[in-house]
Amino acid sequence: MVKSSVLGFPRMGVLRDLKKANEAYWADKITQEALLAEGKRLRLAHWKIQQEAGVDIIPSNDFSFYDHVLDHIQLFNAVPARYTAQKLSPLDEYFAMGRGHQKAGVDVPALEMVKWFDSNYHYVKPTLQDNQTFTLAADPKPVREFLEAKEAGIATRPVLVGPVSFLALGKADRGSTVDPITLLDKLVPVYVELLKALKAAGAESVQIDEPVLVFDLRPEVKAAFKPAYEAFAAAGDAIPSIVVATYFGDIVHNFDVLPAFANVRGIHVDLVRNPEQLEPVIAQLGPNQILSAGVVDGRNIWKNNFAKSLGLLQTAIKALGPERVIVATSSSLLHTPHTLASEKKLPADVYEWFSFAVEKVKEVSILAKAVTDPEAVRAELDANAAAMKSRADSTRTNDPKVKERQEQVTEEMHHRKSPFESRYAEQKKHLSLPLFPTTTIGSFPQTSEIRIQRNKFTKGEITEQEYDDFIKKEIDLAVQIQDELGLDVYVHGEPERNDMVQYFGERLQGYVFTTHAWVQSYGSRCVRPPIIVGDISRPAPMTVKESKYAASISKKPMKGMLTGPVTCLRWSFPRDDVHQSVQCQQLALALRDEVLDLEKNGIFVIQVDEPALREGLPLRKGAERDAYLKWAVNSFKLATAGVEDSTQIHSHFCYSEFQDFFHAIAALDADVLSIENSKSDAKLLKVFIDEAYPRHIGPGVYDIHSPRVPPEAEFKQRIQEMLQFLRPEQLWINPDCGLKTRKWDEVKGALTHMVNAAKQFREQYTKA
């Protein structure tokens, strides 16, 4: 009999219940006990969903109040001393690492948070010391949650981040030089202790995630698998059987690592991303090992093509037999919305094309039955085939006018009129910018009143004119505050925008939208990605009205704010029937029209954000990565290159590690780059010196993901560090990212300190 398996389930709940509970706890509106009870309620609800769908192997320890990697940091007592010294409760210490803590005399910043592989999810980076030790937490979360499910009558398979991946995804703390992978011999015994505790609790099997196997690994990391998994093998029957899970890529290039897994029960591979690895992986399995076949997409929302998946599964069964094949999701369903049943406003003709987490759980169960007894699920197979045909035949997907315009794109359209030196001379004269110019990344706080008024407008409870008047008042406030703060380049604050991608998607042809399809981005932050269902075009201007009004009341240059084509693509659920390069070029042409309209209406600083550019980077070097960078860079340039020399193009990136693709960052030809940098070592900026980068850079000087307000001295220290690697005339001063998730008192406090620090450096260097 073929079994079914889910690698992980979304944490937030049907109506973002976990987000609401977390934020209520942070605001001291509920107790710790109430928050923990809500977590327990959600876990039980999610296990029952999978049990009722007929899933054979249900995960536990996939739930997290903030981040699953952060869970492991606390699980192994790898908490930096700056947090343990505060003597906070375990839960408050946990949240302090995730989001910082500034309360009751305690002031600690958050740990660094970075993207999880090529997804839009963020994990908290293990931050390790030269004298690092590991011990198992007194009440291990994986054991506790396994027993919780067991008590409810639900058998689960605990999920752990593997020891090699945990270390390989970590970093040395500031002031330390340790290579995290060298700590393996200290960490593995703690894993063995944990696995023994799980076995004693009744766990028969565990899922150990080693997703770094899809990377090109350093020799030291490759070598780490052998001693780690030999230690597990040596524990014999004292620990549960192990299934090693990989996802987001293929593992063929790391086959030389597989002997390390000779004693594990099985291997999971992602056959959605890389179906071609199926037969090579089968050939590498030991005589009794199982294959967990990830055929149901854990990253997108399209209904599974049963016919295609069954073809892969039948190949596996023919080679291994049904007892050695598990039908599984490709990865955790963390990256998908909760349930399609919540969507009441999707167009009827597209509704049947989609599948969210609850529906994907059912797909896994159906496929496990269909592969050996298709008649038992004939109705489901027929309905699936009808949905596939409906989408393929739909007129929504193809717009001849869009294709015609794409055919007219020329190479010249990708290039600015003059090189940067000539452009900057025009911009400096036109914009009157000082040394160390200060700005923000775009958004200001999305207050409860903004959300209330937007909701009223959406429901038709207020008129368009009433809503427009409200938005103007919010823009007035944003400009007034920037006047008071003394910033040099203003933004209008984006009060009219619900999300940096959804807002644009709602104004473009080719998208559809959901009402409850929220996906966790980090912590309590959720996004509701729009869905690309057809060819994309711009019927009318999208941002000109608000930006033009803001410029009319501003004393300083006003920045127009757009989301770039790559990010619009990556932070949507893209089509899976057309190459992403085609979709991205369509978005670029729509944004090119918007950029030119902003310029015509007096906006001469235009920021086109591309925080997802690195996220979309194929995980391995080679032809696929080169091709991606070519079409991604060309899409950005197509969107921005039509302006005059005197118009300044900015772009923003949510990372500062450019070393492996710096040539592409330089090729964007943006006049100013702002980058998330406050949690990174300033030494990463050295690449701008090494590559003789000529244009301007704004490394973020404080972490906007945390409510903490850094003191002015901290801003000065950060700027001084940056000046070791950047020229004074090259440096802009700005936060890490947009400020929509922060409160106004936090924003005003932090920006006051930021502007004051910048002014002091300006005075110092002007005198010099």
Side-chain angles (χ1 to χ4, degrees):
M1 177 183 173
V2 175
K3 290 186 176 181
S4 55
S5 168
V6 171
L7 269 61
F9 197 82
R11 305 156 183 164
M12 285 292 150
V14 180
L15 298 173
R16 291 180 293 165
D17 311 84
L18 181 59
K19 169 188 173 67
K20 295 169 185 175
N22 271 341
E23 292 177 356
Y25 176 71
W26 298 335
D28 296 322
K29 293 179 180 178
I30 64 171
T31 64
Q32 182 172 132
E33 291 72 23
L35 176 60
L36 295 175
E38 177 65 356
K40 184 174 182 178
R41 182 191 71 80
L42 287 168
R43 288 192 293 273
L44 182 59
H46 299 162
W47 290 327
K48 284 185 174 178
I49 286 169
Q50 296 169 80
Q51 184 185 53
E52 291 167 4
V55 173
D56 298 303
I57 303 170
I58 297 170
S60 60
N61 198 45
D62 55 331
F63 175 87
S64 175
F65 280 106
Y66 203 91
D67 166 55
H68 59 284
V69 181
L70 179 57
D71 293 345
H72 285 68
I73 293 172
Q74 196 168 56
L75 174 67
F76 299 129
N77 284 310
V79 180
R82 55 186 174 275
Y83 301 100
T84 57
Q86 308 305 325
K87 305 302 181 184
L88 299 168
S89 71
L91 186 64
D92 287 342
E93 177 186 87
Y94 173 82
F95 284 135
M97 289 188 285
R99 63 191 298 270
H101 189 100
Q102 195 171 45
K103 186 189 295 185
V106 175
D107 185 3
V108 286
L111 292 176
E112 183 179 6
M113 191 164 56
V114 293
K115 293 292 178 73
W116 181 245
F117 293 75
D118 57 355
S119 76
N120 188 29
Y121 178 77
H122 302 65
Y123 76 97
V124 177
K125 206 170 182 68
T127 303
L128 306 167
Q129 321 300 318
D130 289 341
N131 60 349
Q132 185 69 53
T133 60
F134 302 100
T135 57
L136 188 62
D139 181 20
K141 177 179 177 289
V143 178
R144 185 172 69 244
E145 293 183 5
F146 172 81
L147 290 172
E148 190 179 293
K150 185 178 180 181
E151 185 180 344
I154 302 172
T156 63
R157 183 174 70 184
V159 180
L160 304 173
V161 175
V164 179
S165 290
F166 178 80
L167 293 173
L169 295 171
K171 69 170 188 176
D173 204 352
R174 287 185 181 181
S176 291
T177 58
V178 65
D179 179 353
I181 203 66
T182 63
L183 299 170
L184 185 78
D185 61 337
K186 295 182 178 181
L187 180 59
V188 167
V190 186
Y191 266 88
V192 173
E193 183 183 355
L194 172 60
L195 291 168
K196 287 180 177 179
L198 285 167
K199 178 71 177 226
E204 296 179 359
S205 176
V206 293
Q207 172 187 316
I208 298 186
D209 289 0
E210 293 286 11
V212 297
L213 279 166
V214 303
F215 286 141
D216 292 316
L217 297 174
R218 293 186 292 132
E220 298 88 346
V221 176
K222 273 195 174 190
F225 285 100
K226 187 174 187 290
Y229 284 84
E230 283 182 347
F232 296 161
D237 293 339
I239 68 173
S241 66
I242 294 170
V243 172
V244 174
T246 67
Y247 37 80
F248 303 157
D250 75 87
I251 62 170
V252 174
H253 56 290
N254 282 321
F255 273 174
D256 54 335
V257 170
L258 293 190
F261 304 137
N263 293 294
V264 305
R265 181 72 182 97
I267 306 289
H268 172 88
V269 291
D270 184 340
L271 298 178
V272 173
R273 184 70 70 89
N274 291 95
E276 70 281 357
Q277 69 177 317
L278 173 59
E279 293 188 43
V281 168
I282 288 172
Q284 293 290 320
L285 293 176
N288 297 308
Q289 285 184 315
I290 61 171
L291 173 73
S292 175
V295 294
V296 173
D297 196 348
R299 289 280 297 272
N300 213 325
I301 46 68
W302 300 104
K303 184 165 286 189
N304 188 268
N305 185 326
F306 283 171
K308 182 177 178 182
S309 294
L310 287 170
L312 292 168
L313 294 169
Q314 286 158 357
T315 298
I317 288 172
K318 183 178 180 181
L320 301 171
E323 299 298 326
R324 291 177 60 197
V325 176
I326 296 174
V327 180
T329 55
S330 63
S331 65
S332 169
L333 297 175
L334 170 66
H335 313 282
T336 62
H338 187 88
T339 179
L340 186 62
S342 298
E343 300 305 322
K344 309 300 183 185
K345 296 183 179 180
L346 277 171
D349 60 324
V350 303
Y351 184 89
E352 290 300 324
W353 301 351
F354 305 134
S355 177
F356 297 173
V358 170
E359 293 73 36
K360 288 177 183 291
V361 164
K362 295 174 183 174
E363 289 179 338
V364 167
S365 182
I366 291 167
L367 283 166
K369 295 170 185 172
V371 74
T372 53
D373 186 7
E375 293 310 312
V377 286
R378 175 54 55 196
E380 290 88 344
L381 294 176
D382 290 346
N384 182 268
M388 296 300 110
K389 187 175 189 304
S390 166
R391 184 180 172 204
D393 294 345
S394 174
T395 56
R396 273 185 181 270
T397 56
N398 299 304
D399 184 340
K401 290 182 180 178
V402 173
K403 289 180 169 58
E404 181 181 348
R405 188 176 183 196
Q406 286 184 277
E407 291 171 357
Q408 295 171 355
V409 171
T410 64
E411 178 61 27
E412 184 181 10
M413 292 169 68
H414 297 89
H415 301 287
R416 296 286 296 269
K417 293 178 173 63
S418 304
F420 172 72
E421 291 75 12
S422 301
R423 299 198 307 263
Y424 183 63
E426 292 293 317
Q427 293 163 15
K428 192 173 182 181
K429 181 169 56 177
H430 189 205
L431 301 172
S432 301
L433 295 174
L435 196 63
F436 303 112
T438 56
T439 189
T440 63
I441 302 304
S443 58
F444 278 139
Q446 289 267 318
T447 63
S448 59
E449 183 61 23
I450 289 174
R451 292 193 294 270
I452 288 168
Q453 293 301 318
R454 183 185 299 130
N455 193 39
K456 285 183 176 180
F457 178 58
T458 301
K459 291 181 176 179
E461 295 174 5
I462 59 175
T463 66
E464 184 174 355
Q465 186 60 54
E466 288 173 321
Y467 184 63
D468 285 349
D469 290 344
F470 170 77
I471 293 299
K472 281 187 176 181
K473 288 179 182 177
E474 290 294 319
I475 294 173
D476 290 342
L477 175 64
V479 171
Q480 176 190 332
I481 288 172
Q482 290 172 98
D483 284 339
E484 294 167 356
L485 290 169
L487 289 161
D488 299 306
V489 175
Y490 290 4
V491 296
H492 78 282
E494 304 177 18
E496 78 286 3
R497 302 188 191 181
N498 44 17
D499 174 81
M500 65 182 292
V501 174
Q502 182 183 345
Y503 179 83
F504 291 95
E506 288 172 347
R507 286 152 182 79
L508 294 167
Q509 296 286 354
Y511 275 91
V512 297
F513 307 91
T514 62
T515 52
H516 297 289
W518 297 97
V519 178
Q520 185 181 14
S521 178
Y522 64 86
S524 68
R525 168 81 169 134
C526 297
V527 294
R528 186 156 46 98
I531 303 171
I532 302 175
V533 296
D535 290 333
I536 300 162
S537 61
R538 186 195 77 146
M542 301 180 285
T543 67
V544 171
K545 179 173 68 174
E546 292 80 11
S547 294
K548 183 178 180 181
Y549 173 73
S552 73
I553 60 170
S554 173
K555 299 175 183 177
K556 301 281 183 71
M558 177 60 62
K559 233 186 334 187
M561 300 299 306
L562 303 175
T563 303
V566 178
T567 300
C568 280
L569 175 70
R570 294 289 308 179
W571 289 2
S572 301
F573 289 118
R575 295 168 67 176
D576 61 357
D577 60 335
V578 173
H579 196 274
Q580 291 194 10
S581 61
V582 175
Q583 299 171 70
C584 202
Q585 187 184 60
Q586 292 173 358
L587 285 159
L589 287 167
L591 289 165
R592 182 183 181 93
D593 294 342
E594 188 72 12
V595 167
L596 294 175
D597 278 345
L598 284 169
E599 185 182 50
K600 288 174 187 174
N601 283 275
I603 308 299
F604 302 116
V605 181
I606 302 171
Q607 182 171 309
V608 181
D609 289 344
E610 283 293 19
L613 184 68
R614 180 186 176 87
E615 174 188 312
L617 195 69
L619 298 174
R620 298 182 59 218
K621 295 179 180 179
E624 185 184 3
R625 179 179 287 194
D626 293 342
Y628 164 77
L629 288 172
K630 182 176 181 179
W631 62 254
V633 167
N634 278 343
S635 294
F636 179 88
K637 292 168 72 174
L638 181 61
T640 58
V643 296
E644 298 299 322
D645 286 349
S646 56
T647 294
Q648 191 171 74
I649 296 294
H650 290 224
S651 191
H652 173 66
F653 303 91
C654 290
Y655 41 82
S656 55
E657 297 184 10
F658 298 117
Q659 292 88 332
D660 51 352
F661 69 116
F662 189 86
H663 67 285
I665 297 297
L668 295 173
D669 200 25
D671 298 306
V672 181
L673 296 180
S674 58
I675 59 178
E676 186 172 323
N677 190 71
S678 70
K679 291 294 167 195
S680 301
D681 193 323
K683 292 177 183 177
L684 293 173
L685 299 174
K686 186 174 181 292
V687 68
F688 290 96
I689 294 177
D690 294 342
E691 300 291 338
Y693 186 76
R695 294 178 284 279
H696 291 189
I697 311 149
V701 291
Y702 82 96
D703 178 17
I704 62 84
H705 299 105
S706 169
R708 178 176 176 268
V709 176
E712 191 172 308
E714 198 170 304
F715 284 99
K716 292 179 186 176
Q717 179 185 352
R718 294 297 290 167
I719 294 170
Q720 190 64 57
E721 289 173 353
M722 292 168 186
L723 286 169
Q724 297 177 44
F725 304 100
L726 301 172
R727 303 187 308 275
E729 65 274 15
Q730 197 176 23
L731 182 60
W732 283 62
I733 310 298
N734 47 258
D736 260 350
C737 202
L739 299 164
K740 69 179 292 183
T741 62
R742 302 272 55 89
K743 297 177 180 177
W744 268 118
D745 60 338
E746 299 162 1
V747 168
K748 290 178 183 178
L751 291 182
T752 296
H753 294 166
M754 184 187 85
V755 170
N756 287 344
K759 285 179 178 177
Q760 291 178 48
F761 277 90
R762 187 178 301 155
E763 291 170 3
Q764 175 186 338
Y765 278 82
T766 300
K767 289 177 183 177

Short mmCIF file of all heavy atoms in Angstrom, two decimals, residues 23-24 26-29 99 103 444-448 451 481 702 704 706-709 738-751:
data_model
loop_
_atom_site.label_atom_id
_atom_site.label_comp_id
_atom_site.label_asym_id
_atom_site.label_seq_id
_atom_site.Cartn_x
_atom_site.Cartn_y
_atom_site.Cartn_z
N GLU A 23 0.32 39.23 18.30
CA GLU A 23 0.33 40.68 18.42
C GLU A 23 -0.42 41.15 19.66
O GLU A 23 -0.06 42.17 20.26
CB GLU A 23 -0.21 41.31 17.14
CG GLU A 23 0.74 41.07 15.96
CD GLU A 23 0.23 41.59 14.63
OE1 GLU A 23 -0.92 42.10 14.58
OE2 GLU A 23 0.98 41.49 13.64
N ALA A 24 -1.45 40.42 20.05
CA ALA A 24 -2.15 40.74 21.31
C ALA A 24 -1.22 40.51 22.50
O ALA A 24 -1.21 41.30 23.46
CB ALA A 24 -3.42 39.90 21.43
N TRP A 26 2.13 40.62 22.45
CA TRP A 26 3.17 41.65 22.42
C TRP A 26 2.65 42.99 22.94
O TRP A 26 3.41 43.78 23.49
CB TRP A 26 3.71 41.82 21.00
CG TRP A 26 4.37 40.58 20.47
CD1 TRP A 26 4.93 39.56 21.20
CD2 TRP A 26 4.52 40.19 19.10
NE1 TRP A 26 5.43 38.58 20.37
CE2 TRP A 26 5.20 38.94 19.07
CE3 TRP A 26 4.17 40.78 17.89
CZ2 TRP A 26 5.51 38.27 17.89
CZ3 TRP A 26 4.48 40.13 16.70
CH2 TRP A 26 5.14 38.89 16.70
N ALA A 27 1.36 43.24 22.74
CA ALA A 27 0.75 44.50 23.20
C ALA A 27 0.21 44.39 24.62
O ALA A 27 -0.50 45.29 25.09
CB ALA A 27 -0.37 44.90 22.25
N ASP A 28 0.53 43.28 25.32
CA ASP A 28 0.08 43.05 26.70
C ASP A 28 -1.44 43.00 26.83
O ASP A 28 -2.01 43.36 27.87
CB ASP A 28 0.64 44.13 27.64
CG ASP A 28 2.16 44.08 27.74
OD1 ASP A 28 2.71 42.96 27.75
OD2 ASP A 28 2.78 45.14 27.79
N LYS A 29 -2.11 42.53 25.76
CA LYS A 29 -3.56 42.42 25.80
C LYS A 29 -4.04 41.03 26.19
O LYS A 29 -5.20 40.85 26.55
CB LYS A 29 -4.14 42.81 24.44
CG LYS A 29 -3.94 44.28 24.10
CD LYS A 29 -4.50 44.61 22.72
CE LYS A 29 -4.31 46.09 22.39
NZ LYS A 29 -4.81 46.42 21.02
N ARG A 99 12.35 39.47 17.30
CA ARG A 99 11.89 40.83 16.96
C ARG A 99 12.49 41.92 17.83
O ARG A 99 12.10 43.08 17.73
CB ARG A 99 10.37 40.88 17.02
CG ARG A 99 9.77 40.61 18.40
CD ARG A 99 8.27 40.40 18.33
NE ARG A 99 7.57 41.56 17.84
CZ ARG A 99 7.10 42.55 18.61
NH1 ARG A 99 7.31 42.54 19.93
NH2 ARG A 99 6.44 43.55 18.08
N LYS A 103 11.82 47.02 26.62
CA LYS A 103 10.75 47.17 27.60
C LYS A 103 11.33 46.95 28.99
O LYS A 103 12.20 46.10 29.18
CB LYS A 103 9.65 46.13 27.33
CG LYS A 103 8.40 46.27 28.20
CD LYS A 103 7.47 45.08 28.00
CE LYS A 103 6.89 45.00 26.61
NZ LYS A 103 5.89 43.89 26.49
N PHE A 444 5.01 54.36 5.34
CA PHE A 444 4.90 54.79 6.73
C PHE A 444 3.84 53.94 7.41
O PHE A 444 3.16 53.13 6.74
CB PHE A 444 4.58 56.28 6.80
CG PHE A 444 5.78 57.17 6.65
CD1 PHE A 444 5.72 58.33 5.89
CD2 PHE A 444 6.98 56.86 7.28
CE1 PHE A 444 6.83 59.16 5.77
CE2 PHE A 444 8.10 57.68 7.16
CZ PHE A 444 8.02 58.82 6.40
N PRO A 445 3.66 54.05 8.74
CA PRO A 445 2.76 53.14 9.46
C PRO A 445 1.37 53.03 8.86
O PRO A 445 0.73 54.04 8.55
CB PRO A 445 2.72 53.76 10.86
CG PRO A 445 4.05 54.40 11.03
CD PRO A 445 4.37 54.97 9.67
N GLN A 446 0.95 51.79 8.70
CA GLN A 446 -0.43 51.51 8.29
C GLN A 446 -1.26 51.41 9.58
O GLN A 446 -1.37 50.35 10.18
CB GLN A 446 -0.49 50.21 7.50
CG GLN A 446 0.12 50.31 6.12
CD GLN A 446 -0.90 50.65 5.04
OE1 GLN A 446 -2.01 50.13 5.02
NE2 GLN A 446 -0.53 51.54 4.14
N THR A 447 -1.79 52.55 10.00
CA THR A 447 -2.50 52.62 11.27
C THR A 447 -3.83 51.88 11.19
O THR A 447 -4.33 51.57 10.11
CB THR A 447 -2.76 54.08 11.65
OG1 THR A 447 -3.61 54.66 10.65
CG2 THR A 447 -1.45 54.88 11.72
N SER A 448 -4.43 51.65 12.34
CA SER A 448 -5.74 50.99 12.37
C SER A 448 -6.77 51.84 11.64
O SER A 448 -7.67 51.30 10.98
CB SER A 448 -6.17 50.74 13.82
OG SER A 448 -6.23 51.95 14.54
N ARG A 451 -6.55 51.18 7.93
CA ARG A 451 -7.15 49.89 7.59
C ARG A 451 -8.67 49.93 7.68
O ARG A 451 -9.37 49.34 6.85
CB ARG A 451 -6.57 48.80 8.50
CG ARG A 451 -5.09 48.51 8.24
CD ARG A 451 -4.65 47.23 8.93
NE ARG A 451 -4.69 47.35 10.37
CZ ARG A 451 -3.68 47.77 11.13
NH1 ARG A 451 -2.54 48.13 10.56
NH2 ARG A 451 -3.79 47.83 12.44
N ILE A 481 5.26 65.40 8.81
CA ILE A 481 6.22 64.73 9.70
C ILE A 481 7.61 64.74 9.10
O ILE A 481 8.61 64.96 9.80
CB ILE A 481 5.74 63.30 10.01
CG1 ILE A 481 4.52 63.35 10.94
CG2 ILE A 481 6.86 62.46 10.64
CD1 ILE A 481 3.85 62.01 11.16
N TYR A 702 19.10 50.87 10.44
CA TYR A 702 18.42 50.25 11.58
C TYR A 702 17.36 49.27 11.11
O TYR A 702 16.85 49.36 10.01
CB TYR A 702 17.86 51.30 12.54
CG TYR A 702 16.53 51.92 12.18
CD1 TYR A 702 15.33 51.42 12.71
CD2 TYR A 702 16.46 53.04 11.35
CE1 TYR A 702 14.11 52.00 12.41
CE2 TYR A 702 15.24 53.63 11.05
CZ TYR A 702 14.07 53.11 11.59
OH TYR A 702 12.87 53.70 11.29
N ILE A 704 13.98 47.59 10.81
CA ILE A 704 12.57 48.00 10.89
C ILE A 704 11.66 46.84 11.29
O ILE A 704 10.47 47.05 11.55
CB ILE A 704 12.08 48.60 9.55
CG1 ILE A 704 12.17 47.58 8.40
CG2 ILE A 704 12.90 49.84 9.20
CD1 ILE A 704 11.04 46.64 8.25
N SER A 706 11.86 45.26 13.97
CA SER A 706 11.77 45.30 15.42
C SER A 706 11.16 46.62 15.87
O SER A 706 11.40 47.67 15.26
CB SER A 706 13.18 45.16 16.02
OG SER A 706 13.17 45.44 17.41
N PRO A 707 10.37 46.61 16.95
CA PRO A 707 9.83 47.87 17.47
C PRO A 707 10.87 48.71 18.19
O PRO A 707 10.60 49.86 18.56
CB PRO A 707 8.74 47.39 18.45
CG PRO A 707 9.20 46.05 18.90
CD PRO A 707 9.87 45.43 17.71
N ARG A 708 12.04 48.18 18.38
CA ARG A 708 13.09 48.87 19.13
C ARG A 708 13.51 50.17 18.44
O ARG A 708 13.67 50.21 17.21
CB ARG A 708 14.29 47.93 19.27
CG ARG A 708 15.49 48.51 19.97
CD ARG A 708 16.58 47.47 20.12
NE ARG A 708 17.78 48.05 20.71
CZ ARG A 708 18.78 48.55 19.99
NH1 ARG A 708 18.74 48.52 18.66
NH2 ARG A 708 19.83 49.08 20.61
N VAL A 709 13.73 51.25 19.23
CA VAL A 709 14.23 52.52 18.72
C VAL A 709 15.71 52.64 19.09
O VAL A 709 16.04 52.82 20.27
CB VAL A 709 13.45 53.71 19.31
CG1 VAL A 709 14.05 55.04 18.84
CG2 VAL A 709 11.98 53.63 18.93
N GLY A 738 10.80 49.39 4.43
CA GLY A 738 9.63 50.23 4.65
C GLY A 738 9.14 50.13 6.09
O GLY A 738 9.44 49.19 6.82
N LEU A 739 8.33 51.13 6.51
CA LEU A 739 7.96 51.29 7.91
C LEU A 739 6.49 51.01 8.18
O LEU A 739 5.95 51.42 9.21
CB LEU A 739 8.32 52.71 8.37
CG LEU A 739 9.82 53.05 8.26
CD1 LEU A 739 10.05 54.55 8.35
CD2 LEU A 739 10.60 52.32 9.34
N LYS A 740 5.82 50.31 7.28
CA LYS A 740 4.37 50.13 7.40
C LYS A 740 3.98 49.33 8.63
O LYS A 740 2.88 49.50 9.16
CB LYS A 740 3.80 49.50 6.14
CG LYS A 740 4.17 48.05 5.90
CD LYS A 740 3.53 47.50 4.61
CE LYS A 740 2.03 47.39 4.74
NZ LYS A 740 1.42 46.78 3.53
N THR A 741 4.85 48.43 9.11
CA THR A 741 4.48 47.58 10.24
C THR A 741 4.81 48.21 11.59
O THR A 741 4.51 47.63 12.63
CB THR A 741 5.20 46.22 10.15
OG1 THR A 741 6.62 46.44 10.20
CG2 THR A 741 4.84 45.50 8.87
N ARG A 742 5.41 49.38 11.58
CA ARG A 742 5.80 50.04 12.82
C ARG A 742 4.74 51.05 13.27
O ARG A 742 3.84 51.41 12.51
CB ARG A 742 7.15 50.74 12.65
CG ARG A 742 8.26 49.81 12.23
CD ARG A 742 8.98 49.15 13.40
NE ARG A 742 8.15 48.42 14.33
CZ ARG A 742 7.83 47.13 14.21
NH1 ARG A 742 8.28 46.43 13.18
NH2 ARG A 742 7.07 46.55 15.11
N LYS A 743 4.88 51.53 14.49
CA LYS A 743 3.99 52.56 15.03
C LYS A 743 4.66 53.93 14.86
O LYS A 743 5.88 54.03 14.80
CB LYS A 743 3.70 52.29 16.51
CG LYS A 743 2.95 50.98 16.75
CD LYS A 743 2.76 50.72 18.23
CE LYS A 743 2.02 49.41 18.46
NZ LYS A 743 1.88 49.09 19.90
N TRP A 744 3.84 54.99 14.86
CA TRP A 744 4.39 56.31 14.58
C TRP A 744 5.41 56.74 15.63
O TRP A 744 6.40 57.39 15.29
CB TRP A 744 3.26 57.34 14.47
CG TRP A 744 2.75 57.52 13.08
CD1 TRP A 744 1.50 57.28 12.61
CD2 TRP A 744 3.49 58.02 11.95
NE1 TRP A 744 1.40 57.57 11.26
CE2 TRP A 744 2.61 58.03 10.83
CE3 TRP A 744 4.81 58.43 11.76
CZ2 TRP A 744 3.00 58.46 9.56
CZ3 TRP A 744 5.20 58.85 10.49
CH2 TRP A 744 4.31 58.86 9.41
N ASP A 745 5.18 56.42 16.92
CA ASP A 745 6.16 56.85 17.92
C ASP A 745 7.51 56.17 17.70
O ASP A 745 8.56 56.79 17.88
CB ASP A 745 5.63 56.59 19.33
CG ASP A 745 5.32 55.13 19.62
OD1 ASP A 745 5.12 54.36 18.65
OD2 ASP A 745 5.28 54.74 20.80
N GLU A 746 7.49 54.90 17.28
CA GLU A 746 8.73 54.20 16.96
C GLU A 746 9.42 54.85 15.76
O GLU A 746 10.64 55.06 15.76
CB GLU A 746 8.44 52.73 16.65
CG GLU A 746 7.81 51.95 17.79
CD GLU A 746 7.16 50.65 17.34
OE1 GLU A 746 7.21 50.33 16.13
OE2 GLU A 746 6.58 49.96 18.20
N VAL A 747 8.63 55.17 14.74
CA VAL A 747 9.17 55.75 13.51
C VAL A 747 9.78 57.12 13.77
O VAL A 747 10.91 57.42 13.34
CB VAL A 747 8.07 55.83 12.43
CG1 VAL A 747 8.52 56.69 11.26
CG2 VAL A 747 7.69 54.43 11.94
N LYS A 748 9.04 57.97 14.46
CA LYS A 748 9.54 59.32 14.73
C LYS A 748 10.81 59.28 15.56
O LYS A 748 11.77 60.01 15.30
CB LYS A 748 8.47 60.14 15.44
CG LYS A 748 7.27 60.51 14.58
CD LYS A 748 6.25 61.28 15.40
CE LYS A 748 5.00 61.61 14.61
NZ LYS A 748 3.98 62.31 15.43
N GLY A 749 10.82 58.42 16.58
CA GLY A 749 12.01 58.32 17.42
C GLY A 749 13.23 57.86 16.65
O GLY A 749 14.30 58.47 16.73
N ALA A 750 13.07 56.81 15.86
CA ALA A 750 14.20 56.26 15.12
C ALA A 750 14.68 57.22 14.04
O ALA A 750 15.89 57.44 13.86
CB ALA A 750 13.82 54.92 14.51
N LEU A 751 13.75 57.82 13.30
CA LEU A 751 14.16 58.72 12.21
C LEU A 751 14.77 60.01 12.74
O LEU A 751 15.66 60.59 12.11
CB LEU A 751 12.96 59.03 11.31
CG LEU A 751 12.45 57.86 10.46
CD1 LEU A 751 11.29 58.31 9.56
CD2 LEU A 751 13.56 57.25 9.60
#
